[in-house]
Amino acid sequence: MKQLALVVPCYNEAEVLRETHTRLLEIVSQLIEAGRISSDSLIYFVDDGSADTTWSLIEELSATHAHTAGIKLSRNCGHQRALLAGLLHVEGDAVITVDADLQDDLAVIPEMLDAFSNGKDVVYGVRKGRESDTAFKRNTALAFYRFMHLMGAEVVDNHADYRLLSRRAIEHLKQFGETNLFLRGIIPLLGFPSGKVFYERHERHAGVSKYPLKRMLSFALDGITSFSMVPLRLIGIMGMAIFCVTSAMSAWVLAVALLGDSAVPGWASTVLPTYFLGGVQILCLGIIGEYLGKMYAEIKARPRFIIEQTTR
């Protein structure tokens, strides 16, 4: 039988943690009884520097339940790094990552294991639809996936971070050492056989979302700049386009000045190019600066996370 590990990143999830543990423990127990997984399978809660009682609850659950363990990061490192900390430090032939908010349907875990048994190293949990989202969130999510594809990044539509990885996939994932993490783009790069299971996403059981609009935009920007050079290439195309437009405008201004008397002296040749080129330069510097910032973070090669404490 295969050993299963469930990795659950937690950030201020004290309100929902007990219920999450109860449901996960029930599934693990059922799978063990059915002979699907070994008796040493574990649920790992990764505390991402929570400010509430999340870690004390994890310690309590770990002390009272044999199939529960905890990993505490020294500070809040972010959802992606907390996921990676769990993936790189847990034991298991197969590892499933799932959020603590109970929005992902845990009932499809047996389907993930079926796909794993059939030779899939990666099994993506994919939402069937987004009817439960607000119109704003649904449209921005669809725009994000389309834009990522347009930028040349390989991502799975309607997939977050609910997935199964085999031990072989995790061992190769260790070779990816980048600081700016976007696991939704990194995992497909592994190239191993993959499958999908589809599920309906539920409402959050308790607490509040840890991905407000500001963090969602930052996450999307990380994904784009980590996996696509298209924005930099667009700067070159934009420069060529500006050159052509400026040349045409210069010809028009010259024609008006030579053939007519309606031209306002100095206006067109000064105001329009100044505003236009100024805006384009600021935009281009912003894009280049974003990439330079990513390079700066990568070159420093600081630890992506520090594990302060574990319960095992």
Side-chain angles (χ1 to χ4, degrees), residues 139-152 155 157:
N139 291 326
T140 52
L142 292 174
F144 167 73
Y145 287 114
R146 289 173 182 169
F147 189 71
M148 288 297 291
H149 287 300
L150 184 64
M151 293 292 102
V155 294
D157 290 355

Side-chain angles (χ1 to χ4, degrees), residues 260-274:
D261 56 359
S262 59
V264 177
W267 183 87
S269 60
T270 303
V271 176
L272 291 179
T274 299

